[in-house]
Amino acid sequence: AFAKNPALVLDFYNFRRRKVREAEPNRAHVALAELEQYFDVHIITQNIDDLHERGGSSNVYHLHGEIFKMRSVLNETVTYPIFEDIHLGDTAPDGGQLRPHIVWFGEAVPMYEQVLPLVHSADILLVVGTSLQVYPAAGLVFQVAPHIPIFVVDKNVPNVSMPNVHPIQQPATQGIDIFITQIMQDYF
């Protein structure tokens, strides 16, 4: 779509950026941040918003990019902050058109390799609010050791046929509190 109509795509993300600025972290975002008082918590998210950071989390990895960053079409490794709109004709210092720092379909997910060691060393994996249909992110559940408990919080828990999966069929805002209660009682 960007190749065919870049102005339309930029407008789409400009609109989304404005909506994210208006949004507020929910109970789940805040609760995950509160867990940092007791545990070494790393948030690996497919979301492009900054609600985890505004909720208080300090170790956040955005697999699919960040709405408040932009980059040149010529270089995906250098990013710049953006809080307003990106327009057709706005260029980076390298002369390339600026675009949102978002992973689009068909593009690599560069953060995936960075988060793999975190998943491999996890004591617990908590999966929140996902259908587990978007790869490669969905494949992270298969990267933990077989004895590591995986808690899946979602209104519609996807079918994951693994003995170490513990479903919590609730919205994230309620399911996180159930998880916290359960983890505190069962594991510590």
Side-chain angles (χ1 to χ4, degrees):
F2 189 72
K4 289 182 180 177
N5 192 342
L8 180 68
V9 173
L10 292 175
D11 286 346
F12 170 80
Y13 282 101
N14 291 336
F15 174 77
R16 292 187 73 193
R17 193 174 303 103
R18 287 190 291 273
K19 289 299 184 186
V20 170
R21 277 197 314 261
E22 295 170 5
E24 295 293 330
N26 64 30
R27 169 65 191 142
H29 296 110
V30 173
L32 289 170
E34 290 170 351
L35 285 174
E36 289 186 20
Q37 297 173 39
Y38 310 100
F39 306 103
D40 183 20
V41 177
H42 296 267
I43 307 290
I44 302 168
T45 183
Q46 293 173 283
N47 296 339
I48 61 173
D49 59 53
D50 66 342
L51 295 176
H52 283 292
E53 290 89 346
R54 285 195 275 150
S57 289
S58 52
N59 300 309
V60 183
Y61 303 85
H62 292 271
L63 288 180
H64 294 155
E66 299 176 64
I67 194 72
F68 293 117
K69 289 184 179 179
M70 61 182 173
R71 65 178 176 85
S72 168
V73 296
L74 302 176
N75 184 349
E76 66 185 50
T77 62
V78 179
T79 63
Y80 310 93
I82 179 70
F83 296 97
E84 301 303 324
D85 291 351
I86 303 172
H87 301 284
L88 198 56
D90 291 347
T91 58
D94 66 8
Q97 170 66 47
L98 287 167
R99 59 161 274 189
H101 181 59
I102 306 296
V103 175
W104 290 335
F105 288 105
E107 294 180 335
V109 181
M111 290 294 291
Y112 190 82
E113 294 300 321
Q114 186 176 343
V115 301
L116 274 177
L118 296 171
V119 175
H120 289 153
S121 65
D123 296 315
I124 293 174
L125 185 66
L126 174 62
V127 179
V128 182
T130 180
S131 64
L132 290 173
Q133 299 296 309
V134 178
Y135 282 83
L140 289 172
V141 297
F142 304 109
Q143 298 297 321
V144 297
H147 66 282
I148 298 299
I150 301 171
F151 293 85
V152 180
V153 177
D154 197 274
K155 289 186 287 191
N156 301 300
V157 173
N159 185 13
V160 180
S161 300
M162 297 166 62
N164 54 335
V165 171
H166 307 277
I168 301 174
Q169 193 151 337
Q170 295 288 329
T173 53
Q174 297 164 16
I176 292 297
D177 287 329
I178 294 168
F179 165 76
I180 290 170
T181 302
Q182 189 171 350
I183 190 174
M184 294 297 190
Q185 291 177 353
D186 294 350
Y187 291 92
F188 298 99

